[in-house]
Amino acid sequence: MTIPKLKALDGLDRDLRQSLLSQIRDLWTHSSTALEGNSLTLGETKFVIEEGLTVSGKPLKDHQEVMGHARAIELVYQGLGGTFTQSHLFELHRAVQSEVVADIYKPYGAWKVEPNGTYAVTEENRQTFIEYASPEDVPALMTEWLAELKRLAAEHLSEKDAVDAYTRLHLGFVHVHPFWDGNGRMARLLSNIPVLRSGHLPVVIEVRARKEYIDILAQYELASGQLTAETGVWPVEAQEAPFRAFCQRSYQATRHLVEQASEQQARRNRRHGGDAE
C-alpha cells in the first residue's frame, strides 16, 4: 500500500499508521459502494480486500466493486505527487467500473455518449426528473472541473477549507455526471484529492446518511438546473451551503478514526515511556 504524507499519521508507530490507513481504505470503500447499493458489510469489505476471497451468498458484482474501489484509492494515493488529468480520470473509471459491459453506449474509461438523469421528489413532494449535462457539453464542463481541481489541489488548505473544497468538487462532478455509471464513487474519490494533498484524511460519507445525502444533492441540482458549456459547472454558488454543512458533519467519521489511533499511541507512549517511531 502506498503511504501518503498525511498529518494524521505523524507521531504514530509504523503498525498504527498502517492500521489507520487500512481502516480508512475499508470505511471509504464500504461507505462509497454501499451508498450505491452494495450489500457487503464493513467487516465483509475488510475480508474481501485483505484476503481476496468471496463471501458466500453475496453477488460477485459486489466483490468486484469493493476490489475496484480499493484499487482506485491506491491510484489516487500514487497520483498525489503529480497533476490529475483526463487520462487519470479515465484510469480511475476503469478501476471503479469493475463491471465491463460490451456496449458502445456504455463506454468504459471514457465520457458518456448518451443523455442521463435521475428521478427525484422535491421538498414540495412533487415528482420530477433531473437532467444531467448532455454528452456534447461534457468535455468543456470537465475541462473546467479539472482546472478547479488543479487550483484547489495546489493550495495548502486547513481542514475546514479542505472539506469545503471537497464539497465544491463533489457537487460539480455529480451534476455533470460525465460517465454512464460510477459517477458517485468517482466524485467521492476525486473530490478528496485536495483534502489529501493538504495532509488531511479523506471525507467519508457514511451509508446511514444516504437519504440526507441524496436529498441534498437533488435539491442542489434542481435549484441549479441542467448544466451546459454556457452555464459552467457551478452556476449558483449560493446553493452549495447545505451540502457544505453536510460534508463538514460527515467528516466526524474520519476524525473518530484519527482520535482512536492517537489515543492508542498515547497509551503506548505512557506504558513504554518512549517516543513513536
Side-chain angles (χ1 to χ4, degrees):
M1 177 189 291
T2 301
I3 299 181
K5 295 179 180 178
L6 305 177
K7 296 172 186 174
L9 304 180
D10 293 345
L12 295 179
D13 289 341
R14 186 177 295 107
D15 63 326
L16 294 180
R17 290 199 301 266
Q18 188 66 52
S19 176
L20 179 57
L21 284 173
S22 295
Q23 288 179 73
I24 290 291
R25 177 201 63 198
D26 297 345
L27 180 64
W28 193 358
T29 295
H30 165 67
S31 298
S32 195
T33 56
L35 285 168
E36 308 296 336
N38 192 292
S39 66
L40 294 177
T41 66
L42 177 57
E44 289 169 342
T45 298
K46 175 182 185 295
F47 174 79
V48 169
I49 294 173
E50 292 187 350
E51 304 298 331
L53 300 173
T54 58
V55 177
S56 177
K58 294 298 179 79
L60 179 60
K61 176 183 73 68
D62 289 3
H63 295 81
Q64 292 171 330
E65 284 178 357
V66 160
M67 294 300 292
H69 192 279
R71 170 61 181 156
I73 291 174
E74 180 70 12
L75 290 174
V76 168
Y77 287 165
Q78 290 174 4
L80 287 176
T83 300
F84 275 78
T85 65
Q86 179 176 297
S87 295
H88 289 114
L89 263 66
F90 290 167
E91 183 180 11
L92 278 176
H93 188 249
R94 285 190 288 271
V96 164
Q97 196 58 39
S98 51
E99 181 185 10
V100 181
V101 181
D103 186 337
I104 61 170
Y105 297 108
K106 296 179 178 180
Y108 177 67
W111 302 137
K112 65 187 178 186
V113 295
E114 287 190 314
N116 56 0
T118 188
Y119 154 62
V121 177
T122 68
E123 291 182 301
E124 294 77 28
N125 208 35
R126 293 183 178 180
Q127 296 170 309
T128 189
F129 188 79
I130 296 171
E131 187 83 45
Y132 296 128
S134 297
E136 59 267 24
D137 287 318
V138 167
L141 288 167
M142 290 309 296
T143 296
E144 180 185 354
W145 188 90
L146 277 165
E148 184 70 350
L149 170 63
K150 181 179 179 180
R151 182 185 74 81
L152 291 169
E155 296 183 6
H156 186 71
L157 303 170
S158 67
E159 182 184 282
K160 181 182 181 301
D161 288 344
V163 178
D164 285 349
Y166 172 92
T167 298
R168 182 170 173 81
L169 292 170
H170 189 299
L171 284 173
F173 193 98
V174 295
H175 200 184
V176 175
H177 237 67
F179 297 106
W180 76 271
D181 193 23
N183 293 283
R185 283 167 287 162
M186 289 288 290
R188 293 185 289 273
L189 282 162
L190 291 163
S191 303
N192 267 307
I193 290 171
V195 183
L196 296 165
R197 276 270 181 88
S198 290
H200 308 294
L201 289 178
V203 179
V204 175
I205 296 170
E206 295 187 285
V207 69
R208 62 185 176 185
R210 185 175 187 271
K211 186 178 187 307
E212 183 183 6
Y213 171 65
I214 291 173
D215 288 348
I216 292 175
L217 287 178
Q219 290 163 18
Y220 170 82
E221 289 161 354
L222 287 168
S224 301
Q226 185 182 18
L227 298 182
T228 66
E230 288 70 38
T231 67
V233 180
W234 297 277
V236 191
E237 291 191 15
Q239 299 293 335
E240 297 176 17
F243 191 60
R244 187 180 304 120
F246 171 82
C247 290
Q248 290 289 346
R249 293 194 302 273
S250 296
Y251 202 60
Q252 187 55 41
T254 301
R255 290 192 189 100
H256 178 65
L257 292 179
V258 173
E259 289 165 3
Q260 282 186 319
S262 298
E263 288 169 4
Q264 180 61 43
Q265 184 65 61
R267 284 194 293 269
R268 279 189 182 180
N269 292 346
R270 287 195 299 270
R271 188 166 59 244
H272 300 295
D275 295 325
E277 290 181 3

